[in-house]
Amino acid sequence: MFDTAVYRELQDLLAGRLRTGEPMKKHTSWRIGGPADYYIEPVGREELQYVVSFANQRKIPLTVVGNGSNLLVSEKGIRGIVLKIGSGLARVATLEKDVVAEAGAKLSALAAAARDNSLGGLEFSAGIPGTVGGAVIMNAGANGSSVGALVREVLLLDLEGRLYRRDGEALNFSYRSCDLQREPAIVVEARFTCYPREKQLIQEEMEKFIARRQSTQPLRMPNAGSVFKNPPADSAGRLIESAGLKGLRVGGAQISTLHANFIINLGTATASDVLALIDKTRETVLARYGVELLLEVQIVGDA
Ligand SMILES: Cc1cc2nc3c(=O)[nH]c(=O)nc-3n(C[C@H](O)[C@H](O)[C@H](O)COP(=O)(O)OP(=O)(O)OC[C@H]3O[C@@H](n4cnc5c(N)ncnc54)[C@H](O)[C@@H]3O)c2cc1C
């Protein structure tokens, strides 16, 4: 869907920073994914707004990504514009008991800012490798908590390039979900309400969570965290492991021998390899335990 006029216009606007045919494997934690027609990392809000309304006016499909740590991008890649919300929108500030962060800030930077200001509540997130925007959309969580419980307000951008605010309560956060997953909106900023807590205690708890991850997750190999959501009152990893699937391989993808809900890229994995492992896992767990596993990772790109 490459279009010379669109290319010229975007290139002018972005002062040479537009990338075409950008391999998405460079932007996903799985290190998998084909080309994005147009790839843009906005340097600020104004540019973000401009690109979003440009895409809307020209009817160019738009895909928003954060750190790519929950994404499986197909080999054919993504048509239209991929907007990566990252370091150009990454300011973090504290306001009494609240921490306000732009969507491209790392979740770890948000938690560090809270800790440095003796604000508790975000300890659980230590070691989750995403952006604030991705964390809000996914209601990222661990250790019995999730970000949604702290979100007081979000600043959103609609596809016409207009900013608007929504209260956290109105977003219906639930396990790895919120209403924004079904709304054509881009998270620009989020405000989290924390509570006073001693810095040292926050730090110790975060270190404990990180150490636990290091011993239970295959962090040395490219992965996207948990592939499946946990079924009610059970664990996807437990079901996959007891179905005997740990270590199963398709091409360059393998179900981790350390944590059965992780699929690792051994170096040459394609999206099709991962999808084949996903299908095999779902079929086996359904046949053996009658449980339908639902995906936590988001699949994007042309099939
Ligand atoms: C080693 C590892 C461990 C992990 N552990 C956990 C864990 O404990 N708990 C957990 O919940 N997750 C975990 N994850 C998954 C992942 O880190 C989270 O889902 C994270 O919140 C995704 O953020 P991201 O910025 O990478 O989003 P992406 O993967 O880039 O995107 C995820 C979704 O959010 C959308 N999105 C991203 N930014 C925006 C925005 N600004 N506006 C609108 N939409 C947006 C994308 O379109 C996509 O649908 C883990 C992943 C890895 C690799």
Side-chain angles (χ1 to χ4, degrees):
M1 159 149 176
F2 187 81
D3 179 315
T4 313
V6 167
Y7 173 76
R8 287 219 183 97
E9 241 177 296
L10 280 173
Q11 196 62 285
D12 280 352
L13 165 73
L14 299 164
R17 286 179 294 103
L18 174 67
R19 296 188 223 167
T20 54
E22 175 74 358
M24 285 304 293
K25 60 158 64 167
K26 286 165 68 178
H27 306 286
T28 61
S29 58
W30 245 326
R31 300 284 170 255
I32 290 172
D37 287 340
Y38 306 101
Y39 176 90
I40 300 166
E41 294 189 11
V43 289
R45 279 184 202 191
E46 222 173 276
E47 190 169 278
L48 170 68
Q49 275 174 277
Y50 193 95
V51 172
V52 168
S53 29
F54 176 89
N56 189 53
Q57 280 158 17
R58 306 280 192 300
K59 304 208 176 340
I60 303 170
L62 191 68
T63 303
V64 178
V65 304
N67 210 35
S69 62
N70 203 40
L71 290 184
L72 181 62
V73 180
S74 68
E75 278 116 79
K76 287 188 182 153
I78 305 177
R79 303 293 69 83
I81 296 175
V82 169
L83 257 183
K84 183 196 166 107
I85 314 288
S87 57
L89 285 122
R91 282 178 299 190
V92 181
T94 48
L95 268 174
E96 296 174 3
K97 279 190 290 174
D98 290 358
V99 190
V100 183
E102 285 188 308
K106 295 272 168 63
L107 188 54
S108 57
L110 174 75
R115 178 204 56 211
D116 294 347
N117 287 278
S118 301
L119 293 173
L122 284 158
E123 296 84 343
F124 72 88
S125 70
I128 303 180
T131 60
V132 166
V136 169
I137 295 288
M138 295 308 303
N139 190 15
N143 311 301
S145 310
S146 51
V147 294
L150 286 93
V151 173
R152 175 165 164 182
E153 190 183 67
V154 287
L155 177 66
L156 301 164
L157 187 68
D158 70 18
L159 296 189
E160 274 146 32
R162 283 183 304 238
L163 290 164
Y164 63 106
R165 290 184 189 273
R166 291 272 294 277
D167 283 347
E169 271 175 19
L171 298 177
N172 294 312
F173 285 103
S174 59
Y175 174 57
R176 299 298 169 268
S177 178
C178 76
D179 286 358
L180 293 175
Q181 290 182 359
R182 293 162 288 281
E183 191 168 319
I186 297 166
V187 181
V188 176
E189 184 183 281
R191 180 169 179 155
F192 302 84
T193 297
C194 299
Y195 63 89
R197 193 180 184 208
E198 209 182 300
K199 202 187 284 187
Q200 184 61 26
L201 294 178
I202 298 174
Q203 178 63 18
E204 279 167 18
E205 195 170 9
M206 288 172 74
E207 282 170 12
K208 190 185 76 191
F209 288 145
I210 287 178
R212 193 189 300 158
R213 278 176 189 273
Q214 282 166 344
S215 62
T216 57
Q217 298 181 355
L219 302 178
R220 289 211 188 98
M221 302 303 279
N223 69 81
S226 294
V227 173
F228 299 101
K229 294 184 184 182
N230 287 322
D234 208 337
S235 132
R238 188 196 72 77
L239 290 167
I240 299 166
E241 180 170 354
S242 53
L245 295 171
K246 260 187 166 179
L248 184 70
R249 231 181 119 160
V250 174
Q254 185 183 39
I255 297 181
S256 165
T257 51
L258 191 58
H259 190 315
N261 199 15
F262 278 53
I263 291 179
I264 56 170
N265 177 356
L266 296 168
T268 57
T270 62
S272 312
D273 294 342
V274 174
L275 285 172
L277 267 185
I278 285 173
D279 287 348
K280 175 79 185 153
T281 304
R282 294 177 92 161
E283 280 163 25
T284 309
V285 168
L286 183 62
R288 204 159 293 179
Y289 303 109
V291 176
E292 199 181 331
L293 290 177
L294 300 178
L295 277 181
E296 180 172 325
V297 293
Q298 314 272 301
I299 298 175
V300 289
D302 280 6

